[in-house]
Amino acid sequence: MAFARTCAVALVGVEGVVVEVQADLEPGVAAFTLVGLADKSLNESRDRVRAAVLNSGAEWPQKKLTVGLSPAAVPKCGSGFDLAVAAAVLAAAERVDPKAIADLLMIGELGLDGGVRPVRGVLPAVLTAADAGYRQVVVAEQNAAEAALVPDVAVLGVRSLRQLIAVLAGEPVPDELPPRPEGGGPGPRGAGWGYPRPAGLYRTFDGTEQPPDLAEVAGQRLARRALEVAAAGRHHLFLQGSPGAGKTMLAERLPGLLPPLTRQEALEVTAVHSVSGSLPPGRPLVDRPPYCAPHHSASLPALVGGGSGLPRPGAASLAHHGVLFLDEAAEMSSQVLDALRQPLESGQVVVARSAGVLRMPARVLLVLAANPCPCGRHGSPGGECECLPGTVRRYRARLSGPLLDRIDLRVPVEPVGRAELTSASSGESTAAVAERVLAARERAAARYAGMGWSTNGEAPGHELRTRWAPAPGALARAETDMDRGTLTARGLDRVLRVAWTVADLAGHDRPTAEDVDAALEFRTGVRRGAGVAGSLP
């Protein structure tokens, strides 16, 4: 009997479990048995591994072969186990030293010719391995840069099983065709290495691609101010206005106001995009806040994650630490919209299925945009709305009260006048506003240092009411609204959060009555004293 073992990783969302891949050879009729709760694509690895071994110049053992994936109770899926299975089989057959692979973790798909192809989810898999104490991993060459993002882990990127055998056996490493020719077209080793990216679903900006400039937006002084407050405090935003007023244009400029991601945030975002197979080509690390804008016909699994078998991340997770923009929100299913209520509070999506439970990060800045009615002309100056009152009520009711109660800023977007549209002067640029946003974020981060959160939108209401209370008498109007029943307890906490953000942007040590009035106006749309107008730069 011959035996060898190595390791791989089974992923459920961005959470991983280290799997021990064991190969056992015994005398008997030649057969290949794979055990350990493998799905169909993993069961097919028996044929891929056998062909890859033979086409790599190694002999296939003509014995009874059993490959076990332990722990057996953990569901395992995908082709990323191929490389580990092949290495374990070759070590059991004494083609390579079993001790050479015992402390290695291997991730990669094998082609029938022995080529090693990239797979999804390499970053979270290597993070799992590092947490488990592994310090050496083997991946496809195309995944090497992504795996190298994890500190204190040595990464070996290989193009073929032949190269891996040579490295493990101490033999000269053969040359292999590169994954892609210099011309950029698919080569024999590069065909199929990429994954289709959902066009128009999300966007990230790097140093070569600049986000749209806020200076291009004509007028909309109040909405521009709301974008600044939303970016500075990570507050959810609702833009309501007639078609063509500029709601989408404003939302697309919000990611440019957000500060770059921290190292930890970038790893979290990259892990989600790695699992979904949507990492931008040539960019192993996503270091700018993503912008995700699903169509209003998106299903529940497309928005929050799910699907058949083990669930996959949805748009809410792809927008982690970025902007999730739902245009034409009132046209979306109320069931789909209400599924966001729990993620907006907890910052993660939990989807339970018979095959397993998916936990995906979803700390997003939500932006909703909707027309006032189906025809879009309700309340517009000179507009002739053709919708019946009952139709308008049902249309607006698709945005439920509990969902809207979690929205901090509710801003009417009025149509732009001819004078504003044709004016030669423009508003502030994205760069100028982003500087104020960054300064406000730094003030908040210094205030909450060591508390477990860094922005006002994450601060618990109890702490803001006690430890960081506003100026005396500043909450007088908010308390009156609570007594009248027009403001909930959650609403008061969110008013306090926005008031702190307004104060940080203005450089105040704590919120004044004017800052609270501005926060109340953003939430209710009712002018309070100087209100937002008094806080405009």
Side-chain angles (χ1 to χ4, degrees):
M1 181 183 73
F3 177 83
R5 73 181 72 195
T6 188
C7 289
V9 174
L11 286 177
V12 181
V14 294
E15 299 176 355
V17 177
V18 174
V19 174
E20 187 175 289
V21 181
Q22 304 171 339
D24 176 74
L25 284 174
E26 296 180 356
V29 178
F32 187 173
T33 304
L34 183 65
V35 297
L37 207 58
D39 72 343
K40 183 177 180 180
S41 63
L42 181 49
N43 269 313
E44 292 174 348
S45 70
R46 294 176 298 180
D47 299 319
R48 291 194 298 270
V49 168
R50 185 177 184 277
V53 169
L54 291 173
N55 289 322
S56 297
E59 292 186 7
W60 183 258
Q62 297 301 316
K63 296 182 180 181
K64 181 182 179 181
L65 170 62
T66 303
V67 173
L69 308 176
S70 179
V74 175
K76 305 163 190 74
C77 60
S79 58
F81 293 85
D82 289 2
L83 197 58
V85 170
V89 171
L90 290 170
E94 299 182 348
R95 175 62 180 86
V96 297
D97 186 357
K99 294 180 181 179
I101 66 169
D103 296 327
L104 292 180
L105 188 135
M106 304 187 186
I107 307 166
E109 175 186 328
L110 286 176
L112 299 184
D113 62 348
V116 181
R117 300 172 182 272
V119 294
R120 303 179 183 185
V122 165
L123 176 59
V126 177
L127 287 170
T128 298
D131 291 340
Y134 288 86
R135 292 295 174 260
Q136 293 179 307
V137 299
V138 181
V139 298
E141 187 179 64
Q142 297 98 316
N143 287 139
E146 181 182 345
L149 295 173
V150 182
D152 302 324
V153 174
V155 178
L156 172 62
V158 295
R159 295 180 181 178
S160 69
L161 183 59
R162 280 182 291 272
Q163 288 187 336
L164 178 61
I165 293 173
V167 171
L168 295 176
E171 301 170 354
V173 179
D175 292 330
E176 297 284 0
L177 292 173
R180 277 178 174 245
E182 294 184 1
R189 299 246 183 250
W193 77 275
Y195 301 100
R197 302 174 63 197
L201 176 62
Y202 76 94
R203 183 188 310 158
T204 56
F205 300 100
D206 56 19
T208 60
E209 181 185 1
Q210 295 300 320
D213 199 336
L214 193 59
E216 299 169 356
V217 179
Q220 304 299 356
R221 199 168 179 226
L222 179 61
R224 292 166 60 98
R225 177 62 170 171
L227 288 184
E228 181 177 345
V229 173
R234 195 179 279 175
H235 302 292
H236 306 309
L237 173 64
F238 177 35
L239 302 172
Q240 186 177 51
S242 58
K247 303 185 293 297
T248 301
M249 191 176 185
L250 287 161
E252 289 177 343
R253 280 145 182 81
L254 182 54
L257 303 180
L258 300 178
L261 300 177
T262 65
R263 176 71 178 185
Q264 180 59 37
E265 290 173 343
L267 288 176
E268 293 176 10
V269 174
T270 303
V272 176
H273 286 248
S274 175
V275 169
S276 69
S278 55
L279 278 178
R283 290 186 56 211
L285 184 68
V286 179
D287 55 3
R288 292 292 307 176
Y291 172 80
C292 196
H295 192 261
H296 64 262
S297 63
S299 63
L300 185 61
L303 187 62
V304 299
S308 60
L310 287 174
R312 300 193 65 82
S317 295
L318 290 173
H320 182 53
H321 288 312
V323 177
L324 175 61
F325 176 49
L326 301 183
D327 200 3
E328 305 294 347
E331 299 288 350
M332 300 185 72
S333 165
S334 58
Q335 180 184 9
V336 172
L337 288 173
D338 285 340
L340 291 172
R341 286 154 56 177
Q342 181 263 341
L344 291 181
E345 292 291 334
S346 64
Q348 67 174 353
V349 171
V350 181
V351 181
R353 294 289 186 271
S354 60
V357 177
L358 172 76
R359 289 182 177 86
M360 296 291 293
R363 192 165 298 282
V364 301
L365 198 168
L366 177 64
V367 180
L368 301 176
N371 297 326
C373 67
C375 77
R377 296 191 295 269
H378 184 81
S380 299
E384 297 181 359
C385 178
E386 301 174 354
C387 303
L388 297 176
T391 303
V392 176
R393 285 194 300 270
R394 287 191 296 272
Y395 184 80
R396 295 182 177 181
R398 295 182 184 178
L399 301 177
S400 66
L403 176 62
L404 290 178
D405 200 40
R406 291 167 168 80
I407 306 299
D408 303 335
L409 312 172
R410 308 172 190 176
V411 181
V413 182
E414 303 294 341
V416 179
R418 179 180 58 83
E420 293 175 312
L421 194 60
T422 58
S423 174
S425 61
S426 61
E428 288 184 293
S429 66
T430 293
V433 178
E435 288 183 7
R436 290 201 300 270
V437 168
L438 181 59
R441 285 273 187 117
E442 291 174 347
R443 289 174 63 92
R447 181 169 60 250
Y448 303 135
M451 302 301 297
W453 61 87
S454 60
T455 61
N456 295 316
E458 302 169 289
H462 174 74
E463 300 290 342
L464 296 182
R465 293 192 302 270
T466 55
R467 182 177 302 190
W468 294 291
L475 290 177
R477 288 192 174 94
E479 292 168 350
T480 300
D481 284 356
M482 283 200 70
D483 293 339
R484 292 174 178 172
T486 59
L487 190 66
T488 65
R490 181 195 287 125
L492 178 62
D493 288 346
R494 292 188 174 275
V495 165
L496 278 174
R497 294 170 180 171
V498 175
W500 264 108
T501 300
V502 175
D504 286 337
L505 287 169
H508 299 161
D509 293 333
R510 56 178 175 171
T512 63
E514 289 76 16
D515 297 332
V516 176
D517 288 345
L520 280 172
E521 183 178 342
F522 273 131
R523 185 169 186 83
T524 65
V526 179
R527 180 73 174 271
R528 314 296 177 98
V532 178
S535 65
L536 288 169

